Amino acid sequence: MNSKNPLVRTVTLILFWLVVAVVLFYVLFPFYWAIKTSLTSSARLSAEALQWFPSVPSFQNFVDVFTGAPFGRNLLNSVVVATGTVLLSLLLSVLAAYALGKFRFQGKTILMYLILAVSVFPQIAVLSGLYTMIQTFGLYNSWGGLILSYMIFTLPFTVWTLTAFVREIPTELEEAAYVDGASPLQTLFRVLLPVMTPALVTTGLLAFINAWNEFLFALTFTTDATAATVPPAIANFTGASQYESPFGLTMAASVIVTIPLIILVLVFQRNIVSGLTAGAVKG
Amino acid sequence: MTTPLPSRPTAAPARTGRGLQASRTRVALLLLVPMLLVLAAVAGYPLLRTIYLSFTEYNILTDPAPKWIGLGNYWFTTEDGVGLGVLQIPEWWQSVWNTVKFTVGSVLLETVLGLAFALIINSKIRGRGLLRTAILVPWAIPTVVSAQMWNWMYNDSFGIISDWGQRLGFLQAGQSFLSNPDTALAALIAVDVWKTTPFMALLLLAGLQTIPSDMYEAADVDGANKWTQFWRLTLPLLTPALLVALIFRTLDALRVFDMPYIVKGNAPETITMSIYARQELILNSQFGFGSAISVLIFLIIMVFTAIYVTSLRVKFD
């Protein structure tokens, strides 16, 4: 781009922006198409499926999603399960991260390897074992069963990331608290936790997104709207009728669950990028 | 602390040090116990149970209890010469082959495209913040949602992509890339590439930003053109980040379940290892046989993880 010839420079610049435009289109078009479809009423859908804009934008699909299907309940389930998962993971992992990040003891390396191993567990590998366990404890088709099973992927992640963060906190803070006679728990919750807030927000957010999006366990461990979260609900919209295309409804539901996530991502953009890359580079 | 025993002047401080160390170890263990208990309950025990079930014959709906059959789920030939073990069943090998093709295809494309995205965002242009935000959108969309969005775009008669394919002459009227068994897997790879390239791009962008800019200035002074700079400077320095991203994506792709399942269900031309395992476990209630498949998947993933950990020399302290 730093050629001396102004013509070459202009051409390269135009080409470059063309590439940028193509990338933007590629990235955003499917999402636009979902929004467009969701705004087309089911009566018009087959006629207007291929049009770029809805001729009569309608919010009928958004109303139908809540009246025709127990989608409100699915949303509630998702909120409860994802929030519960995040709170429990953060609580457990804050304690563990303090121990792993600031204490020295034998077997720590092995423990870290073990946690790393769990973080790459294929969910399918524990499916049958978890299924029988969840049935034994009567947790089938319940919030508790999902929250418990989600720990398998949120917990290793939060422990890992928070440990990396705790390690970076200057030891002087902890020593000062120790000299003042604070117990380890007091040190953790009064001194370290306030410093950790940004890390907690980032880690919690990423864990929330993972729990919100989880599909396999939600599909397998729930039977009906009592506990089924949004992902299995959206996945099952299709099979409703062979002759009527439910895609207007499906897209409306999809837009509803995606917009909050996109807003979260836009607001916490910087934290997410650093959180993703920190977790990835450190393992 | 003063010691009343002059004969062992160093004993007391040493003992205090050891005492402090011991009590700190105790505290650390106490802090770890809740997390370890939960992990043991959701990962350790279920995994052991899955391994145990894989050695049994157990239809969860009809059998009162698992019946031990040793390695029968893995390899078993009847007297008539019919192979019933997982490793003898073509559908398993089909699912392995599909998963391998899916993994290689998607990871390769995602790496190349992700690198291109990362280079674009890393160049000094106006609106790069906007661009970075835009590429986060596919990442933020739940997998189930992106699967359904593409399902709609691939729809035989009303899908926009089928329409484009038909107009460009790749498809016959009323046909879609997804309904055609020859292109179905490629169509799924396209969805995965769309969804995950941004993640790849972010990882690589982080790697790019650690390369000091004065290296490029030095290269400019030496008269190296952009092309040479990319091959001689950017790529070698980016290799560690590239490797991490590659392995991450490979592990993810090997255990893929949700997207192909939502788009194509249990269709043989796109069934992946995880979908096959769930089909046997949940749909056919074969907890013994299905567990054997799960164990095989687990072993495959663990081999890759071991390669990952050793090749990158992951350090913890």
Side-chain angles (χ1 to χ4, degrees), chain B residues 235-250:
Chain B
L235 215 52
L237 288 172
L238 199 60
T239 309
L242 207 57
L243 215 59
V244 172
L246 260 174
I247 293 160
F248 251 83
R249 286 299 312 137
T250 308

Side-chain angles (χ1 to χ4, degrees), chain B residues 6-283:
Chain B
S7 58
R8 292 167 61 199
T10 56
R15 199 186 298 140
T16 324
R18 252 201 317 273
L20 181 64
Q21 186 56 43
S23 88
R24 276 187 69 86
T25 304
R26 224 174 14 253
V27 171
L29 287 179
L30 282 177
L31 290 170
L32 284 166
V33 160
M35 184 268 298
L36 289 175
L37 278 181
V38 173
L39 270 194
V42 298
Y45 173 77
L47 181 70
L48 292 177
R49 175 108 181 126
T50 301
I51 294 173
Y52 162 71
L53 286 174
S54 80
F55 297 122
T56 67
E57 191 181 330
Y58 186 34
N59 181 316
I60 194 156
L61 293 183
T62 55
D63 296 341
K67 184 178 133 232
W68 183 267
I69 56 164
L71 289 170
N73 286 320
Y74 296 92
W75 194 274
F76 180 75
T77 312
T78 63
E79 285 170 12
D80 311 332
V82 183
L84 292 179
V86 186
L87 295 168
Q88 292 153 287
I89 288 185
E91 204 177 359
W92 157 251
W93 291 110
Q94 172 78 44
S95 75
V96 172
W97 183 227
N98 286 341
T99 312
V100 168
K101 283 198 278 191
F102 178 86
T103 304
V104 172
S106 62
V107 173
L108 273 184
L109 278 171
E110 282 157 24
T111 311
V112 174
L113 272 180
L115 187 56
F117 279 24
L119 288 172
I120 292 172
I121 301 173
N122 198 40
S123 59
K124 295 183 188 67
I125 51 158
R126 267 190 302 166
R128 53 192 267 198
L130 185 83
L131 208 58
R132 197 180 64 177
T133 312
I135 67 161
L136 271 170
V137 169
W139 176 81
I141 292 178
T143 311
V144 176
V145 169
S146 54
Q148 288 288 34
M149 278 165 38
W150 283 79
N151 213 354
W152 169 233
M153 294 195 296
Y154 278 140
N155 186 284
D156 316 36
S157 19
F158 304 118
I160 184 82
I161 293 181
S162 306
D163 184 52
W164 291 341
Q166 287 160 15
R167 281 175 196 227
L168 293 173
F170 293 118
L171 296 169
Q172 319 232 307
Q175 208 187 27
S176 85
F177 290 111
L178 210 56
S179 57
N180 183 346
D182 296 331
T183 52
L185 197 63
L188 292 185
I189 290 177
V191 183
D192 196 66
V193 167
W194 176 78
K195 163 101 182 121
T196 325
T197 298
F199 176 74
M200 199 66 142
L202 287 178
L203 292 186
L204 297 180
L205 185 63
L208 282 178
Q209 284 169 348
T210 59
I211 302 176
S213 61
D214 49 359
M215 294 188 102
Y216 289 103
E217 282 154 26
D220 273 336
V221 171
D222 290 347
N225 63 31
K226 292 280 175 208
W227 191 245
T228 318
Q229 288 184 17
F230 173 74
W231 286 103
R232 293 289 178 78
L233 194 63
T234 311
L235 215 52
L237 288 172
L238 199 60
T239 309
L242 207 57
L243 215 59
V244 172
L246 260 174
I247 293 160
F248 251 83
R249 286 299 312 137
T250 308
L251 289 178
D252 261 358
L254 284 176
R255 53 190 168 181
V256 67
F257 173 80
D258 35 15
M259 189 272 291
Y261 178 79
I262 292 161
V263 179
K264 283 291 281 180
N266 298 313
E269 67 266 24
T270 54
I271 196 166
T272 65
M273 297 190 295
S274 293
I275 297 178
Y276 181 53
R278 187 179 183 277
Q279 172 190 305
E280 295 304 317
L281 277 172
I282 307 298
L283 302 181

